[in-house]
Amino acid sequence: MLSKRIIPCLDVKDGRTVKGVNFVDLRDAGDPVELAAQYAKQGADELVFLDITATHERRKTMIEMVKSVARQLNIPFTIGGGITEIADAEALLNAGADKISINSAAVRNPILIEELAKRFGVQFVVLAVDTKHVNGKNMVHLNGGRLITELETENWIKQAESLGAGEILLTSMDHDGTKAGFDCGLLSKVNQMINIPIIASGGAGSMQHFTEVFQQANVDAALAASVFHYGEILIPDLKQELKRNEIPVRI
């Protein structure tokens, strides 16, 4: 049985790690390169960096950060934010990223998923999906959750898989930052529909929440931010707890 992965997420704005609640009220959480090195030492399986205010002008800043992270890390990491074409992905890959995450650009141009998968391989392409419950349906949102689309989450994820997405990073905006637990119901439903790995995101507040999401939704990985950034949960402790609950993890 494959080990379940624990993935700290670093939202990066103007070269600093930030964290908010329900995608707003951002506060500083430290230097992303220093945090990344700490998490690698603690035993994180992977890292995700999301440039939450990505602009074309700042792409160079992100590339320098990726190079710095790659020099210090011996674990895989994913970069997302502002990737709209093959050249953006290529620059980040060349700088040392292992995978790239796309979100808004894929919704606006779904063929981008196919192009990236053909160029770099399916395993390189992570589709990030921000979902919110609206009028009884799960709807895809863009622009850091500020813009609702007409896409139902489940339909979009199935389409993305068929186009070549290698992994789904599914964030519940209703749960994000609340520390009330992952959306195990939605995650379980989506997991039964597709054959590619799912990273659960949004809502982690305790070690019990990680146990629940692996047991109830059988996801491949669980991602969190503030509980790790502010030392509320330490990764070695979390992995021991998961092991006690007979969830396979890499110690």
Side-chain angles (χ1 to χ4, degrees):
M1 193 173 181
L2 282 176
S3 295
K4 302 297 187 183
R5 291 171 286 146
I6 300 299
I7 306 178
C9 178
L10 296 89
D11 292 333
V12 180
K13 181 177 187 283
D14 301 327
R16 299 290 292 176
T17 309
V18 294
K19 189 60 198 137
V21 177
N22 298 123
F23 286 44
V24 294
D25 299 327
L26 301 176
R27 58 184 174 135
D28 191 274
D31 177 80
V33 181
E34 287 174 13
L35 277 172
Q38 285 175 29
Y39 289 139
K41 281 180 191 158
Q42 277 191 38
D45 297 293
E46 292 183 21
L47 292 174
V48 169
F49 296 86
L50 297 177
D51 182 1
I52 60 171
T53 53
T55 62
H56 183 66
E57 292 74 33
R58 290 228 312 284
R59 175 64 50 223
K60 291 188 181 70
T61 311
M62 275 305 275
I63 285 171
E64 288 310 310
M65 189 201 81
V66 169
K67 286 178 181 174
S68 299
V69 170
R71 279 195 292 270
Q72 298 210 21
L73 281 198
N74 57 356
I75 58 173
F77 67 98
T78 300
I79 298 283
I83 297 165
T84 59
E85 58 186 15
I86 296 282
D88 297 331
E90 193 158 43
L92 292 165
L93 179 64
N94 289 341
D98 297 276
K99 297 185 250 187
I100 53 101
S101 168
I102 52 174
N103 186 338
S104 301
V107 172
R108 297 190 176 110
N109 175 25
I111 297 305
L112 179 63
I113 300 172
E114 194 171 36
E115 291 171 346
L116 288 167
K118 280 182 180 167
R119 180 70 175 268
F120 303 112
V122 167
Q123 73 286 349
F124 179 69
V125 184
V126 178
L127 180 78
V129 180
D130 296 334
T131 181
K132 192 173 188 178
H133 208 62
V134 181
N135 298 326
K137 293 180 178 177
N138 299 303
M139 304 302 293
V140 175
H141 285 61
L142 302 183
N143 295 8
R146 292 184 289 273
L147 178 68
I148 187 171
T149 72
E150 294 179 355
L151 287 172
E152 286 190 43
T153 301
E154 296 89 334
N155 295 342
W156 170 230
I157 289 173
K158 280 206 292 199
Q159 183 188 351
E161 179 185 29
S162 71
L163 287 168
E167 195 162 22
I168 302 295
L169 169 53
L170 183 56
T171 300
S172 165
M173 292 173 56
D174 301 302
H175 290 241
D176 182 72
T178 63
K179 298 187 181 178
F182 293 96
D183 189 342
C184 293
L186 175 62
L187 289 159
S188 178
K189 181 182 177 185
V190 171
N191 203 13
Q192 288 168 30
M193 288 172 12
I194 61 174
N195 298 306
I196 53 176
I198 293 182
I199 303 168
S201 168
S206 70
M207 289 197 272
Q208 179 63 29
H209 293 150
F210 287 88
T211 300
E212 286 170 1
V213 79
F214 288 127
Q215 288 180 340
Q216 295 175 23
N218 195 30
V219 293
D220 301 85
L223 173 146
S226 57
V227 290
F228 295 141
H229 300 339
Y230 302 121
E232 294 159 45
I233 295 176
L234 298 177
I235 293 169
D237 297 345
L238 173 58
K239 287 195 165 185
Q240 290 296 340
E241 176 68 13
L242 293 170
K243 197 177 177 186
R244 274 195 292 275
N245 284 286
E246 299 183 346
I247 293 162
V249 287
R250 184 179 62 85
I251 301 289

